[in-house]
Amino acid sequence: MEGSPSMLDAEAVADLVLLDPLTEESLVQTLQERFRRHDIYTYIGNVVISVNPYQALPIYTPEKVEEYHNCSFFAVKPHIYAIADDAYRSLRDRDRDQCILITGESGAGKTEASKLVMSYVAAVSSKGEEVNKVKEQLLQSNPVLEAFGNAKTVRNDNSSRFGKYMDIEFDFKGEPLGGVISNYLLEKSRIVRHVKGERNFHIFYQLLAGASPQLLQQLKLRQDCGHYGYLNREISSLPGMDDAANFHTMQDAMRVIGFSPAEVTELLEVTAVVLKLGNIQLSSSFQASGMEACSITAPQELREICELIGLDPSRLEQALCTRTVKARDETVLTTLTVPQGYYGRDALAKNIYSRLFDWLVNRINASIQVKSNEQRKVMGVLDIYGFEIFQDNGFEQFIINYCNEKLQQIFILMTLKEEQEEYVREGIQWTPVEFFDNSIICNLIENSTSGILALLDEECLRPGVVNEDTFLTKLNQLLAKHKHYESKETQNARHITDISLPPRCFRIHHYAGKVTYNVTGFIEKNNDLLFRDLSQAMWAARHALLRSLFPEGDPQKVSLKLPPTAGFQFKSSVAMLMKNLYSKNPNYIRCIKPNDTKSAMVFTPELVLAQVRYLGLMENVRVRRAGYAFRQLYGPFLERYKMLNRRTWPRWNGGDREGTEVLLAGLAFPAEELAFGHTKIFIRSPRTLFNLERQRQERVSELATLIQKMFRGWRCRTQYQLMRKSQILISAWFRGHRQKNRYKQIKRSTLVLQAYARGWKSRRLLRELKSQCRRQAAATTIAAHWRGYQARRTYRKYFRSSASTRLANFIYWRLVQRYLLGLAKNLPPLSVTDRTWPQAPYRFLDKTNQELKNIFYHWKCKKYRDQLPPSRRVQLQAKLCASELFKDKKTLYPKSLQQPFRGDYLGLKQNPKYQKLHAVAKDKLVMADTVRKVNRANGKTVPRLLLLTTEHLVLADPKAAQPKTVLSISDIRGVSVTRFSDGFLALHLKEISTVGAKGDFLLVSDHLIELVTRLHQTFEATTGQALPLHITDRFSTHFLKGDVSITVVESPKAGTDGPVCKKKGSNKMEVLVH
């Protein structure tokens, strides 16, 4: 295997469990040798030790990611990718939540290690548009949090000044869904002060260096870092760090995460407010009562701050220079001294930035957290401060070291104790390793009644004079007998002289060593007090983000209850973190800083040795060496290594444990190297495990060779059969091709022979034909001469007598031919309205020309009629019939030429009222119109509906739509109309009919021409005879009481509405028409 030579190298073993002899010096020497070889990662079992090289190494390429993807943990060289892959596969395949604990000093590379873990998981997880978006958001949270939470320290140019724990959540397929970030103990004191050579948080320098002039003007900032008091009025630029580029990177990251432009602007405005608060200067003055007071020296900065947050400057100035104190029912406004004013200013700046950072983390969580309720798997990554021992250790170091004690407790409980308990559960005998259980130290700090944090909170809440001396006195009283606590007073009581322990200090014996803490500032930092006036001033601002950071400033929600102390908050956060870590399978990355100068590839053994002690690496190695380095369930172990024994390969039919025993019995390992538990196989030395892996790889190689041999044989046989089949096919085609070519050659030869034979026959036939043609030509010539002689003799005798007649006939037919050909070229258009025709060129052709003109016109009309649709043809036939009936006979006829015959003027089909009228006739409708019926008695007219069908004529009442009279077409004997332009007609009926017995009908119609025409056509179609039509001014009608003579007179007295009928006695009627 690739990693085996490095694992077994005596000078630089890759797994410190194999180190012999095991001492602190040999362990550090091994780390130094591997570091010299650029092997910065080392194992202690499944714990990864990472030594910061302070330079970029080519070991994080995509090829390396692929190399460690789905690879056995011990099969390759130690790498952070190996533990990341092992944790990811355990989460994905075994459904076990994971956590990766990254610990070490500041500058040891913890932040970079967490980035590498996240980038590896993002690289090996599934791809997809939504998945890539989630991965990108998780990765882009780092630049944002680093800008606001990291700073340059004397030990590290990019030191995380807060603890970060990120839960990355996956679905059942191992695809990332989102995450949740928790932050712990932001070092907010860095806002107001930091030592020379260090910097404030990166965001301030990035904002000043990378913001555009317009943005700086909007935020009322200058680009000069030396202008700002919180930046120590220094121009602090770091070599190798481009603040402007990092600012743009942070803005891009915010866009990816989902920050809106308004949110980014509000975030930068609050950041600018914190920066400008440091430039507010106070001066001292005395009131008339002699009390000292403070006031703002230069109000310009104050006004700019208030413009940014939308607050009255006087309100903020009053909050900074005075304090409201409530005593019972009274409220007293007291002035502040200059130190108190600066304390309030700095407390406000620290609180604003701390709360802004919490809001930033919550806002990122809102974007990256999982929205769905599906079942999730979790991988936690903890990047938190390492154990710190400085020359002067204060409250921050006390809190940080307490957190590291809790992490060490997790390491002890979940690694060392679990190691021993597993042997007991599996029934494996071994010699227990004695280790230090630091729970006594954790109890010393966090005990709810007598712990240091509880005593500190009690002292902060106690009325009366409270300071660090009273707190230290209480510690000395209650903890004097604790073996892990000491102070100057307890040493004096024990008669111990130790000049290294100052008077105002106490010392705790941590698992990583003794740390002396100076109690100065403990009370103040634990209280973390912010005056209520400042909270209310911030809540009164019109800036939405800043206002939301101070909900307790709402005057309606004023509470006299003191806020929880910083120590209590951190203790609660650590307890929640521990509970979260206990629920997951731990993976450890121990980061080591090789030197204090951040020099590339420089290793300081003394510094590394101190960190080895802090990290408790020796205890971890001892446990691993005393016990069994590898253990696995029988089933997976047998499945992985069963090919090493012929009895277990390829399939074992018995139990997993029996199969494992048979497998290992055939490999001849020493008995002390193996132990068989109830459910697992234990292997003492990793060397034995590596030997197993090496044999497995060799056997896998043999099996692969066998598979390849069988596959190659199959492939060759298949290829041979394919080649043989192809050869047969090619041979068949070749033989066919050769036979075809031979046939073509024979055919060509035969054709040549046939051609020559046919040519010989043709030439012989040609000669015979030529001879015959010559004989025929000679005979023809003789016959021609003879016929010519005969013709000339006949011509002389007969032709001259009739020559003129023959010549005239010839000329006549030539003229007729020329006329007809010219006429064919100049025919008139085919339009039936065009009656033009060319003139005859000769008078003898006039009659012929006229006849041709008539024939052509009738032909055009026939063509036109053939193209007409049936409906149009019927209309034209009706028009033609009307022409035959009324042309030159009735004055009304010319007016009807332009009016189309519609037939149905009532709309029977559309009007449901008239449907029953059509049903009465029970035959096809020909015409429907409104007419006026003349009363036979008095000559008055009444409206009637007239329906003409193929067999009946119906008169109906228009209001009731009921038929009044129904006539059969055969009952009509004739029709009489006038010759004027009126619509008057008389309908003569046969007297033998039922209706005709009552007399003839006198009607007036607006469509007289169409009505009479259609009646004529219908009568002719029904009876086979023409309808008798009389066009006259005087005619006789038959009424019920006798015949009546009707005289039609054209008179101006007639109205335009129609004819006027007047009865003249009993036998006469006069009709006046217009």
Side-chain angles (χ1 to χ4, degrees):
M1 66 185 76
E2 181 182 342
S4 294
S6 176
M7 292 282 187
L8 303 178
D9 189 345
E11 294 184 0
V13 291
D15 193 336
L16 296 180
V17 175
L18 304 177
L19 188 61
D20 191 28
L22 176 60
T23 62
E24 288 183 341
E25 291 73 16
S26 63
L27 190 150
V28 173
Q29 185 178 357
T30 300
L31 293 178
Q32 184 175 9
E33 179 61 24
R34 290 184 59 77
F35 187 74
R36 186 183 64 79
R37 300 180 185 184
H38 288 194
D39 291 330
I40 63 172
Y41 296 111
T42 309
Y43 288 155
I44 300 178
N46 58 355
V47 177
V48 175
I49 302 174
S50 171
V51 183
N52 192 348
Y54 287 115
Q55 71 176 27
L57 297 178
I59 58 175
Y60 307 108
T61 60
E63 291 77 14
K64 283 291 182 182
V65 172
E66 192 62 32
E67 177 183 347
Y68 284 87
H69 182 39
N70 288 334
C71 182
S72 174
F73 187 81
F74 296 103
V76 288
K77 293 173 64 175
H79 201 288
I80 194 171
Y81 285 170
I83 192 170
D85 185 75
D86 185 62
Y88 177 69
R89 284 192 292 119
S90 296
L91 175 138
R92 182 192 63 192
D93 302 337
R94 302 177 189 172
D95 201 18
R96 298 175 60 188
D97 288 350
Q98 304 289 316
C99 65
I100 299 178
L101 279 68
I102 306 173
T103 56
E105 281 196 10
S106 176
K110 301 186 299 299
T111 302
E112 289 301 317
S114 66
K115 291 181 186 177
L116 290 172
V117 170
M118 292 175 62
S119 63
Y120 178 83
V121 173
V124 301
S125 56
S126 301
K127 303 297 187 292
E129 182 177 352
E130 190 64 29
V131 174
N132 289 339
K133 178 182 177 182
V134 172
K135 292 193 290 190
E136 189 65 19
Q137 287 183 336
L138 291 173
L139 294 176
Q140 290 301 322
S141 64
N142 287 323
V144 179
L145 293 178
E146 284 184 11
F148 284 87
N150 288 24
K152 176 192 180 303
T153 65
V154 293
R155 297 185 175 187
N156 185 4
D157 287 346
N158 189 30
S159 176
S160 297
R161 306 318 299 161
F162 70 103
K164 181 178 73 172
Y165 176 76
M166 173 181 281
D167 267 335
I168 308 174
E169 299 180 340
F170 300 81
D171 63 7
F172 70 97
K173 296 178 292 186
E175 296 178 358
L177 299 174
V180 178
I181 300 173
S182 302
N183 62 299
Y184 302 96
L185 195 65
L186 176 72
E187 188 191 10
K188 57 186 178 182
S189 60
R190 180 170 292 271
I191 291 291
V192 298
R193 67 181 66 86
H194 51 272
V195 301
K196 191 174 183 62
E198 293 189 354
R199 297 204 317 176
N200 212 318
F201 291 102
H202 290 328
I203 182 59
F204 299 118
Y205 306 94
Q206 294 177 3
L207 177 60
L208 297 180
S212 63
Q214 295 80 9
L215 180 58
L216 289 176
Q217 183 178 1
Q218 178 184 348
L219 301 178
K220 307 185 184 305
L221 295 176
R222 301 183 188 178
Q223 202 168 18
D224 181 17
C225 294
H227 176 68
Y228 298 100
Y230 282 162
L231 305 185
N232 282 358
R233 302 195 182 276
E234 299 174 352
I235 301 177
S236 180
S237 59
L238 292 178
M241 181 177 290
D242 188 344
D243 289 323
N246 289 339
F247 180 73
H248 298 308
T249 301
M250 181 206 67
Q251 287 184 311
D252 294 339
M254 283 185 171
R255 275 193 295 273
V256 172
I257 294 172
F259 281 76
S260 66
E263 289 176 324
V264 175
T265 301
E266 289 182 345
L267 183 67
L268 296 179
E269 287 174 347
V270 176
T271 305
V273 167
V274 173
L275 193 58
K276 295 177 73 63
L277 276 174
N279 285 3
I280 293 181
Q281 300 297 320
L282 303 176
S283 60
S284 177
S285 60
F286 291 91
Q287 297 179 331
S289 61
M291 294 183 62
E292 183 181 359
C294 67
S295 60
I296 295 178
T297 305
Q300 178 63 28
E301 291 285 354
L302 182 70
R303 284 195 296 270
E304 290 180 354
I305 291 174
C306 292
E307 288 177 11
L308 281 174
I309 64 177
L311 183 66
D312 185 6
S314 62
R315 177 72 182 271
L316 182 56
E317 182 177 7
Q318 181 181 358
L320 288 172
C321 298
T322 62
R323 181 183 179 188
T324 302
V325 179
K326 289 189 176 182
R328 294 184 181 177
D329 297 333
E330 297 182 1
T331 301
V332 180
L333 184 66
T334 62
T335 59
L336 300 178
T337 63
V338 172
Q340 290 173 337
Y342 278 128
Y343 170 82
R345 180 201 68 176
D346 293 344
L348 177 61
K350 290 188 293 183
N351 270 272
I352 291 176
Y353 194 83
S354 175
R355 299 181 188 205
L356 179 66
F357 189 77
D358 291 338
W359 176 88
L360 181 65
V361 172
N362 293 332
R363 178 62 184 82
I364 294 175
N365 285 338
S367 294
I368 66 175
Q369 68 184 2
V370 181
K371 307 299 189 298
S372 62
N373 295 324
E374 61 180 292
Q375 185 176 2
R376 301 186 288 270
K377 306 175 184 179
V378 178
M379 177 186 289
V381 179
L382 178 64
D383 172 12
I384 203 165
Y385 348 81
F387 201 88
E388 293 185 351
I389 303 179
F390 298 147
Q391 289 294 329
D392 185 16
N393 302 290
F395 181 75
E396 291 85 357
Q397 283 70 43
F398 175 74
I399 291 295
I400 289 172
N401 292 342
Y402 161 61
C403 180
N404 278 271
E405 283 287 355
K406 296 295 291 183
L407 292 176
Q408 177 67 8
Q409 188 178 33
I410 280 190
F411 181 74
I412 291 172
L413 294 178
M414 301 184 71
T415 302
L416 306 183
K417 281 189 175 182
E418 182 63 28
E419 185 80 9
Q420 297 181 18
E421 291 173 357
E422 184 173 14
Y423 285 82
V424 174
R425 287 196 305 270
E426 291 291 327
I428 304 298
Q429 293 185 357
W430 75 310
T431 303
V433 177
E434 295 295 333
F435 58 86
F436 172 66
D437 187 348
N438 72 334
S439 59
I440 187 173
I441 301 177
C442 295
N443 190 57
L444 169 66
I445 298 174
E446 69 181 3
N447 187 278
S448 58
T449 57
S450 60
I452 295 177
L453 287 176
L455 296 176
L456 179 60
D457 289 346
E458 181 181 332
E459 194 67 14
C460 290
L461 298 175
R462 184 172 63 83
V465 178
V466 178
N467 53 42
E468 285 79 6
D469 294 331
T470 61
F471 167 62
L472 184 59
T473 300
K474 180 173 289 189
L475 291 181
N476 293 331
Q477 292 174 355
L478 298 178
L479 305 177
K481 296 181 180 180
H482 201 289
K483 62 180 180 179
H484 291 278
Y485 171 86
E486 60 181 344
S487 66
K488 198 69 175 176
E489 286 73 10
T490 60
Q491 285 184 349
N492 293 336
R494 299 172 188 169
H495 305 288
I496 298 175
T497 302
D498 185 358
I499 59 175
S500 64
L501 185 60
R504 289 174 56 88
C505 299
F506 65 91
R507 179 178 293 162
I508 295 179
H509 297 198
H510 289 284
Y511 76 94
K514 299 179 180 179
V515 183
T516 301
Y517 299 102
N518 191 332
V519 296
T520 303
F522 263 56
I523 300 294
E524 175 189 333
K525 293 176 181 178
N526 188 52
N527 273 327
D528 194 21
L529 184 62
L530 178 68
F531 297 150
R532 185 179 293 110
D533 303 72
L534 294 172
S535 298
Q536 293 178 348
M538 294 300 99
W539 190 87
R542 291 189 296 275
H543 195 279
L545 175 56
L546 184 63
R547 181 188 179 100
S548 67
L549 300 181
F550 293 88
E552 75 278 8
D554 186 354
Q556 304 297 328
K557 301 179 181 179
V558 173
S559 174
L560 298 180
K561 183 180 178 181
L562 291 176
T565 62
F568 178 81
Q569 294 180 35
F570 188 73
K571 177 183 173 182
S572 301
S573 299
V574 169
M576 292 180 61
L577 175 63
M578 297 302 114
K579 182 180 180 181
N580 196 353
L581 297 179
Y582 276 129
S583 65
K584 296 176 174 60
N585 183 55
N587 302 270
Y588 299 97
I589 300 175
R590 304 298 199 182
C591 298
I592 292 178
K593 179 174 64 174
N595 60 79
D596 275 330
T597 59
K598 295 174 281 191
S599 302
M601 303 311 295
V602 175
F603 193 94
T604 307
E606 296 78 9
L607 179 63
V608 174
L609 177 60
Q611 296 174 73
V612 167
R613 291 171 179 169
Y614 297 165
L615 297 173
L617 301 184
M618 287 295 294
E619 288 80 1
N620 193 6
V621 177
R622 288 194 188 100
V623 171
R624 285 290 184 179
R625 287 171 62 89
Y628 294 88
F630 176 80
R631 75 288 317 265
Q632 193 173 19
L633 294 172
Y634 289 119
F637 183 86
L638 180 62
E639 184 66 25
R640 181 170 182 82
Y641 298 106
K642 64 182 179 180
M643 72 285 297
L644 299 181
N645 193 311
R646 294 184 180 276
R647 295 179 59 187
T648 58
W649 176 259
R651 185 178 295 106
W652 173 257
N653 296 323
D656 292 339
R657 174 167 179 166
E658 291 77 6
T660 303
E661 291 175 350
V662 170
L663 168 66
L664 294 176
L667 297 179
F669 286 123
E672 62 273 10
E673 284 292 317
L674 305 174
F676 296 92
H678 298 309
T679 61
K680 296 180 181 179
I681 174 66
F682 288 74
I683 299 177
R684 182 179 300 278
S685 171
R687 189 187 302 271
T688 303
L689 178 64
F690 301 156
N691 188 14
L692 262 176
E693 282 289 328
R694 181 168 56 249
Q695 293 184 46
R696 179 184 180 275
Q697 287 201 353
E698 292 172 356
R699 179 58 177 159
V700 168
S701 179
E702 293 174 2
L703 293 175
T705 303
L706 177 62
I707 294 173
Q708 290 174 353
K709 179 179 70 173
M710 298 300 294
F711 173 75
R712 291 192 187 103
W714 171 82
R715 187 174 61 181
C716 290
R717 285 192 299 275
T718 304
Q719 188 175 7
Y720 165 74
Q721 292 172 357
L722 183 61
M723 291 174 62
R724 183 172 180 273
K725 187 182 299 182
S726 301
Q727 186 270 333
I728 294 173
L729 183 62
I730 293 172
S731 299
W733 278 95
F734 176 74
R735 287 193 295 271
H737 175 71
R738 186 173 60 182
Q739 291 300 325
K740 288 177 183 177
N741 288 343
R742 184 179 177 186
Y743 165 75
K744 290 178 181 178
Q745 183 66 32
I746 294 173
K747 184 178 179 181
R748 283 195 297 269
S749 302
T750 303
L751 291 175
V752 170
L753 291 175
Q754 291 176 347
Y756 275 104
R758 285 193 294 270
W760 176 77
K761 289 181 179 181
S762 298
R763 286 190 295 274
R764 188 179 66 177
L765 179 61
L766 179 62
R767 287 193 297 270
E768 293 178 355
L769 292 174
K770 284 183 177 179
S771 176
Q772 184 178 355
C773 286
R774 284 195 295 271
R775 290 194 297 271
Q776 289 180 351
T780 302
T781 301
I782 294 171
H785 280 84
W786 170 250
R787 285 193 297 272
Y789 166 73
Q790 290 287 92
R792 285 189 296 274
R793 188 174 67 177
T794 304
Y795 169 75
R796 283 192 296 269
K797 184 176 181 180
Y798 300 106
F799 183 73
R800 289 181 179 176
S801 61
S802 59
S804 60
T805 304
R806 289 178 179 268
L807 185 59
N809 289 338
F810 174 76
I811 294 172
Y812 173 77
W813 288 114
R814 283 295 298 162
L815 292 176
V816 170
Q817 183 183 20
R818 182 184 299 175
Y819 162 68
L820 293 176
L821 292 175
L823 186 62
K825 296 179 181 179
N826 297 300
L827 289 175
L830 296 180
S831 174
V832 295
T833 59
D834 189 354
R835 301 297 293 268
T836 61
W837 187 259
Q839 293 292 330
Y842 309 107
R843 292 180 62 187
F844 71 89
L845 294 174
D846 286 343
K847 186 176 181 180
T848 303
N849 190 56
Q850 184 63 33
E851 192 67 27
L852 289 175
K853 176 181 178 181
N854 294 335
I855 292 172
F856 182 74
Y857 182 72
H858 283 86
W859 176 80
K860 284 198 300 183
C861 291
K862 182 179 181 304
K863 293 285 288 184
Y864 175 74
R865 289 195 303 272
D866 293 343
Q867 295 175 357
L868 291 175
S871 59
R872 179 62 176 165
R873 188 175 299 176
V874 171
Q875 285 186 355
L876 291 179
Q877 287 176 351
K879 285 286 186 178
L880 181 60
C881 181
S883 174
E884 294 173 351
L885 295 174
F886 297 105
K887 185 176 181 181
D888 299 330
K889 298 177 183 178
K890 185 169 176 61
T891 310
L892 182 63
Y893 173 72
K895 298 179 180 179
S896 68
L897 289 176
Q898 302 301 324
Q899 298 176 357
F901 288 176
R902 289 168 48 190
D904 184 6
Y905 292 92
L906 300 179
L908 290 181
K909 295 181 180 180
Q910 291 79 17
N911 195 336
K913 179 179 179 182
Y914 299 148
Q915 291 294 325
K916 54 186 177 181
L917 291 177
H918 188 219
V920 171
K922 299 182 180 177
D923 45 15
K924 183 178 179 182
L925 179 69
V926 177
M927 182 175 178
D929 193 10
T930 302
V931 299
R932 296 186 293 280
K933 178 178 174 293
V934 179
N935 193 298
R936 301 183 185 94
N938 54 22
K940 296 182 179 180
T941 61
V942 291
R944 287 290 184 266
L945 301 179
L946 183 142
L947 272 68
L948 176 61
T949 67
T950 55
E951 295 182 3
H952 296 85
L953 189 145
V954 180
L955 293 176
D957 184 5
K959 294 182 179 180
Q962 294 293 334
K964 292 289 187 178
T965 306
V966 178
L967 296 177
S968 176
I969 296 297
S970 59
D971 292 341
I972 302 174
R973 61 182 178 86
V975 175
S976 296
V977 297
T978 70
R979 59 185 179 86
F980 303 110
S981 59
D982 59 277
F984 184 80
L985 79 152
L987 194 63
H988 304 292
L989 305 178
K990 296 178 180 179
E991 296 179 6
I992 60 174
S993 64
T994 304
V995 181
K998 296 180 181 181
D1000 300 337
F1001 285 99
L1002 301 180
L1003 302 175
V1004 178
S1005 173
D1006 294 335
H1007 306 94
L1008 176 71
I1009 302 298
E1010 181 180 358
L1011 175 59
V1012 175
T1013 301
R1014 292 191 182 277
L1015 182 60
H1016 178 273
Q1017 290 178 323
T1018 304
F1019 186 86
E1020 188 175 17
T1022 303
T1023 63
Q1025 300 176 357
L1027 176 68
L1029 176 63
H1030 308 286
I1031 303 177
T1032 178
D1033 300 340
R1034 191 183 299 274
F1035 52 86
S1036 176
T1037 59
H1038 174 72
F1039 287 170
L1040 182 61
K1041 295 181 179 181
D1043 294 340
V1044 176
S1045 175
I1046 297 178
T1047 303
V1048 181
V1049 179
E1050 188 174 16
S1051 171
K1053 295 181 180 181
T1056 58
D1057 295 337
V1060 177
C1061 301
K1062 295 182 179 181
K1063 195 73 177 290
K1064 299 290 186 178
S1066 60
N1067 303 341
K1068 294 181 181 181
M1069 178 178 289
E1070 187 179 71
V1071 179
L1072 302 179
V1073 297
H1074 186 67

